[in-house]
Amino acid sequence: MHALVIDDSRAMRRIVGGILKGLGYTVTEAGHGREALDVLVATTAAGGAVPDLACVDWNMPVMDGLEFVTAVRAQPAWRSMTMMMVTTESEHAQVVRALAAGAHEYMIKPFTPDAFADKLSLLGLVPQGEPA
Amino acid sequence: MSTASTASTLSPSGFDFVRALVHRESAIVLAPGKEYLVEARLSPLARSRGLRDVQALVEAVRSSPDVESTQLIVEALTTNETSWFRDGDPFTGMVQVVLPSLLAARTPAEPLRIWSAACSSGQEPYTIAMLLKDALPGAGERVRISASDISREMVERTRGGRFSQMEVNRGLPAPLLVRHLTRAGNDWQVNPDLRRMVTAFECNLVGTLPRTGPFDVVFLRNVLIYFDIPTKRSILARVRALMRPDGWLFLGAAESTLGVDDAWERVPVGRSSAYRPTRPNRGA
């Protein structure tokens, strides 16, 4: 399994990436939505498979998480990638907005590794044989 | 559960006292080696009384027992971790297998009664409520969910239907979060239509069981593991007496009626399994 971790905070990328690696994922990091789109474009151009999962922060420079999710949803070749917002934005209306834009799940910071694994389990994205 | 960070202050006789107290009051068995659990769960209670540690708390209660302290100790040691859609398969099975079977067997006017028998802070009964609300038109009027727990605090939490941000992060799918809960200050609260489906009350499974049945479905998950075999047998027989003859019982993934009470048939329910009475229990 392959995950794209998109966050402008290096510390948060390390935390999320660490949890995912512990669950058996390989992880690619991006510091904002534009950089993540570049990864997807390059992967697709090289004939590779898009990541199984994208963990997407909301507030980032250059291109924020909502713009990224919207851009991915507009591209049929990337539809197989599950997108989970991972953000401090915690209002009801924001969760609704992110889901309407195409995010599949929503994780509000702070969270525990167990809660993170629970969400992946709901999405059917815990690699077989790994502890949930 | 972490054991590393808790330095034990509890003497062997103090642990034995707590074990005996919890067994007497709730029939729950605290196995030797669970000193860390007692230490971790009772530390907040000791601190709240200005006592230096758990040993001091135990000594105080041993020298002058009182009902409130006993209740608080039992509650602290019987409150279990919970999450939304915990081990999700039984919930999927309830909607995909159990619900159609019940609807075929009941008239539209008959209520569907469900009992969440160790509901902790309420995630299980509200998980059931939101799934049935989404799957069954008119569920708000027809489905009655009884939610019980041994702990008064947990029953009050269930009634309020309020959950912290950390709690809603635990296994609640975001689409269900925004459909069935709204923000309430820093917390989230289950919407009134679901709260009206759930009636919460205190119930010690070794004591008097609820009179809100007969139940079509009982969720008795991850609670029998705490009891010895004779107590498990007694609970299962008395639960059976409260169920419709064609009812369904869900136990925890590590639990079974096998070798405990032979009046149940295990049946596959989707990727999970449930137990159905093979004969009614009229004697309980």
Side-chain angles (χ1 to χ4, degrees):
Chain A
M1 298 271 234
H2 180 202
L4 186 53
V5 176
I6 312 160
D7 200 305
D8 57 334
S9 156
R10 187 184 303 165
M12 192 48 70
R13 292 200 302 270
R14 199 158 47 224
I15 290 167
V16 173
I19 295 171
L20 287 165
K21 285 173 188 166
L23 291 167
Y25 276 82
T26 56
V27 172
T28 303
E29 296 184 12
H32 51 72
R34 183 74 251 166
E35 193 181 331
L37 284 183
D38 290 344
V39 169
L40 295 177
V41 168
T43 303
T44 311
V50 293
D52 304 281
L53 169 72
C55 297
V56 190
D57 184 22
W58 190 308
N59 296 305
M60 294 180 287
V62 186
M63 178 188 274
D64 72 22
L66 203 64
E67 291 173 286
F68 171 79
V69 167
T70 306
V72 168
R73 273 294 157 263
Q75 176 57 258
W78 298 341
R79 286 267 164 91
S80 66
M81 185 172 71
T82 299
M83 292 187 284
M84 178 162 77
M85 301 298 293
V86 183
T87 172
T88 53
E89 299 299 333
S90 62
E91 289 307 312
H92 187 274
Q94 289 165 311
V95 184
V96 171
R97 213 171 141 208
L99 295 178
H104 301 85
E105 255 305 337
Y106 201 102
M107 171 69 91
I108 297 168
K109 299 171 185 171
F111 52 83
T112 62
D114 282 349
F116 201 91
D118 278 354
K119 287 279 191 188
L120 296 186
S121 179
L122 282 175
L123 294 165
L125 285 172
V126 176
Q128 291 299 312
E130 295 295 330
Chain B
M1 188 170 296
S2 169
T3 61
S5 60
T6 310
S8 183
T9 63
L10 195 58
S11 68
S13 76
F15 178 65
D16 286 343
F17 172 79
V18 174
R19 275 182 73 186
L21 182 153
V22 170
H23 189 259
R24 186 176 70 241
E25 297 294 328
S26 70
I28 285 173
V29 179
L30 286 174
K34 294 283 188 187
E35 288 86 348
Y36 71 88
L37 180 75
V38 173
E39 188 77 37
R41 296 282 183 89
L42 295 188
S43 285
L45 180 58
R47 279 199 301 276
S48 75
R49 298 195 162 187
L51 297 167
R52 70 181 181 284
D53 54 28
V54 172
Q55 181 65 25
L57 172 72
V58 168
E59 282 164 12
V61 174
R62 186 153 49 181
S63 62
S64 82
D66 66 283
V67 174
E68 191 197 350
S69 300
T70 301
Q71 168 83 5
L72 290 173
I73 288 172
V74 171
E75 285 193 8
L77 287 162
T78 54
T79 302
N80 299 303
E81 191 186 342
T82 188
S83 66
W84 303 89
F85 289 84
R86 184 175 182 190
D87 312 320
D89 293 339
F91 298 108
T92 312
M94 179 191 68
V95 171
Q96 293 179 352
V97 178
V98 173
L99 180 63
S101 161
L102 288 174
L103 292 177
R106 306 278 184 269
T107 66
E110 282 182 282
L112 300 178
R113 293 191 176 93
I114 297 170
W115 177 23
S116 167
C119 68
S120 194
S121 39
Q123 284 90 334
E124 180 174 270
Y126 288 122
T127 298
I128 295 166
M130 62 179 72
L131 286 176
L132 291 178
K133 182 92 183 170
D134 289 348
L136 177 66
E141 294 71 44
R142 192 172 177 192
V143 174
R144 297 171 193 173
I145 300 168
S146 297
S148 70
D149 200 273
I150 190 172
S151 157
R152 185 177 311 160
E153 184 192 343
M154 289 298 114
V155 169
E156 279 166 13
R157 287 213 48 204
T158 299
R159 280 191 192 125
R162 275 178 88 114
F163 299 94
S164 70
Q165 190 62 67
M166 296 291 272
E167 287 170 325
V168 299
N169 267 345
R170 288 302 305 269
L172 179 60
L176 293 180
L177 170 72
V178 293
R179 197 177 317 148
H180 294 298
L181 288 86
T182 45
R183 287 305 300 256
N186 290 327
D187 296 335
W188 292 77
Q189 186 170 33
V190 175
N191 291 340
D193 59 336
L194 288 195
R195 294 210 307 277
R196 279 194 293 271
M197 293 168 69
V198 174
T199 304
F201 50 87
E202 278 177 69
C203 172
N204 183 339
L205 293 171
V206 298
T208 306
L209 297 186
R211 300 176 194 283
T212 46
F215 298 108
D216 299 281
V217 187
V218 175
F219 285 80
L220 182 67
R221 302 193 312 141
N222 306 304
V223 56
L224 287 181
I225 46 173
Y226 295 102
F227 297 106
D228 57 25
I229 299 259
T231 310
K232 285 181 196 184
R233 183 173 298 132
S234 158
I235 292 172
L236 282 170
R238 289 181 305 121
V239 166
R240 192 154 41 84
L242 296 179
M243 289 177 68
R244 300 278 297 250
D246 60 348
W248 305 73
L249 169 71
F250 285 98
L251 299 177
E255 298 166 325
S256 170
T257 60
L258 199 66
V260 182
D261 179 12
D262 64 2
W264 301 87
E265 171 192 25
R266 182 181 164 129
V267 289
V269 173
R271 289 168 52 189
S272 177
S273 56
Y275 297 83
R276 308 194 70 186
T278 52
R279 60 174 189 268
N281 180 3
R282 302 183 197 287

